[in-house]
Amino acid sequence: MNFIYLSPHFPPNFRAFCKNLANAGVRVLGIADAPYDELGELKDCICEYYRVSSLEDYDQVYRAAAFFIHKYGRIDGIASMNEYWLETEAKLRTDFNIPGIKAGEILWLRRKSLMKIKFRNAGVPVADGRVIRTPQEAAEMLREKGAIVAKPDDGMGASNTFKITDQQSLEKFLREKSDSEYIAEEFIPGNICTFDGLADRYGNIVFAASHVYESAMDLVNQRKSVAIYSYMNIPDDLMDMGMRTAREFNVRSTFFHFEFFRTPEGRIVALEINMRPPGGYM
């Protein structure tokens, strides 16, 4: 079995995936732009490493994958565990017919406004929201909802995310926001509860777990410490929402990390999805 791993050295907390793939008898083939010496202990588990000058240059990455296919044969899987390279992974899978998420599916997995459509199709509640393109649209939604959260429609993590509750925080958002297109949602209090796991190439969930923690927005913006715990048994309502989400997004041949809010009243509301394991040293 041949498996291409993009950026095997970073993030460092995911290096164990390479090691355990090799321990399971998989031929791990690495592609990255880091010097070979930076791989450290990964040298012992990566069969061959192809260094490109930049992972941002798809033509170079394409040529690296083609080289591996010519030398080792069909590729059975590809991943990076880093959301940043999700589009690159999908392009490679499309161009070389590798199982998993293809290029035509990426927008549904990156743009939060499109995720809401999928969640609704699955019968999963979502926070009311829409893309805002002008200061007037942001102000109008603030008047409607009383408190809103604005974040890049195509963004990762909680970076460049703003909680807006009044004119002062609205002006701060307009001054400090990035040039990205933003989506604004009604503010929903509660803790995040996740549905994390691994799906096989047929879409079957072969492993699932759930973690609970405070809002990532508050943790990032207020530089708070984070406390996380895992459910011993995933609650039935969360399991149902998670399974519906996996089916609607056609999750296959990948790890996944779905985020939901659990409100103080016990209601579950979908937040977003990521095609990677949960972050951090878990």
Side-chain angles (χ1 to χ4, degrees), residues 85-97:
W85 302 117
L86 186 65
E87 188 172 354
T88 301
E89 295 173 25
K91 285 182 179 179
L92 290 173
R93 293 192 196 98
T94 301
D95 289 340
F96 295 107
N97 195 28

Side-chain angles (χ1 to χ4, degrees), residues 3 19 47 51 55 71 78 81 89 100 104 146 162 164 176 179-180 183 193 205 212 234 263:
F3 195 97
K19 297 176 186 176
C47 176
R51 184 186 178 189
L55 273 178
K71 185 171 182 178
I78 182 168
M81 307 305 172
E89 295 173 25
F162 299 82
I164 304 171
E176 299 181 4
D179 293 331
S180 305
I183 183 172
C193 53
I205 307 301
V212 180
I234 301 175
T263 70

Side-chain angles (χ1 to χ4, degrees), residues 14 28 31 55 94 117 146 154 167 219 221 257 279-280:
F14 289 151
V28 182
I31 303 175
L55 273 178
T94 301
I117 297 174
D154 182 357
Q167 184 63 30
L219 297 172
N221 293 341
H257 172 67

Side-chain angles (χ1 to χ4, degrees), residues 194-196 208-210 231-239:
T194 72
F195 187 73
D196 306 313
S210 178
Y231 282 120
M232 183 174 292
N233 297 296
I234 301 175
D236 290 342
D237 57 351
L238 181 58
M239 177 67 80

Side-chain angles (χ1 to χ4, degrees), residues 16-267:
F17 288 111
C18 283
K19 297 176 186 176
N20 285 287
L21 280 171
N23 290 339
V26 176
R27 180 185 286 121
V28 182
L29 306 166
I31 303 175
D33 48 19
Y36 180 69
D37 287 341
E38 289 188 12
L39 297 184
E41 73 276 16
L42 293 180
K43 294 178 185 178
D44 297 329
C45 61
I46 292 179
C47 176
E48 187 165 353
Y49 178 66
Y50 192 116
R51 184 186 178 189
V52 296
S53 62
S54 172
L55 273 178
E56 303 278 1
D57 186 338
Y58 182 72
D59 184 61
Q60 291 188 53
V61 177
Y62 176 94
R63 291 174 183 274
F67 169 78
F68 284 147
I69 292 171
H70 176 74
K71 185 171 182 178
Y72 297 104
R74 178 178 174 81
I75 302 300
D76 299 283
I78 182 168
S80 68
M81 307 305 172
N82 187 338
E83 194 176 359
Y84 186 81
W85 302 117
L86 186 65
E87 188 172 354
T88 301
E89 295 173 25
K91 285 182 179 179
L92 290 173
R93 293 192 196 98
T94 301
D95 289 340
F96 295 107
N97 195 28
I98 299 169
I101 296 165
K102 301 297 198 294
E105 302 168 85
I106 286 300
L107 282 180
W108 296 99
L109 307 176
R110 292 297 301 264
R111 298 190 73 92
K112 297 176 179 62
S113 55
L114 295 181
M115 289 179 195
K116 289 184 182 297
I117 297 174
K118 289 280 192 180
F119 280 126
R120 290 189 178 107
N121 289 344
V124 177
V126 295
D128 187 27
R130 59 182 179 267
V131 172
I132 52 172
R133 297 182 173 86
T134 66
Q136 292 75 21
E137 289 178 342
E140 179 183 353
M141 189 161 184
L142 177 61
R143 285 193 298 271
E144 287 179 15
K145 303 299 181 183
I148 59 175
V149 173
K151 51 193 173 184
D153 192 29
D154 182 357
M156 295 177 287
S159 58
N160 297 306
T161 298
F162 299 82
K163 181 180 177 182
I164 304 171
T165 58
D166 52 27
Q167 184 63 30
Q168 184 177 357
S169 53
L170 175 62
E171 292 172 358
K172 181 177 187 293
F173 160 67
L174 295 173
R175 283 195 313 270
E176 299 181 4
K177 72 180 185 69
S178 67
D179 293 331
S180 305
E181 190 168 65
Y182 272 72
I183 183 172
E185 301 174 330
E186 61 177 325
F187 172 73
I188 296 180
N191 288 333
I192 289 178
C193 53
T194 72
F195 187 73
D196 306 313
L198 174 65
D200 67 16
R201 67 176 57 188
Y202 306 107
N204 300 310
I205 307 301
V206 297
F207 171 79
S210 178
H211 306 97
V212 180
Y213 51 94
E214 288 186 65
S215 164
M217 175 185 67
D218 293 337
L219 297 172
V220 171
N221 293 341
Q222 300 176 28
R223 300 181 181 275
K224 297 173 64 177
S225 297
V226 58
I228 298 175
Y229 67 87
S230 301
Y231 282 120
M232 183 174 292
N233 297 296
I234 301 175
D236 290 342
D237 57 351
L238 181 58
M239 177 67 80
D240 177 57
M241 299 287 187
M243 295 297 288
R244 288 192 200 185
T245 299
R247 287 192 296 269
E248 180 62 31
F249 282 89
N250 195 22
V251 174
R252 62 198 187 281
S253 297
T254 185
F255 285 92
F256 57 85
H257 172 67
F258 304 158
E259 295 182 356
F260 303 87
F261 276 120
R262 173 81 74 177
T263 70
E265 299 79 26
R267 189 165 59 102

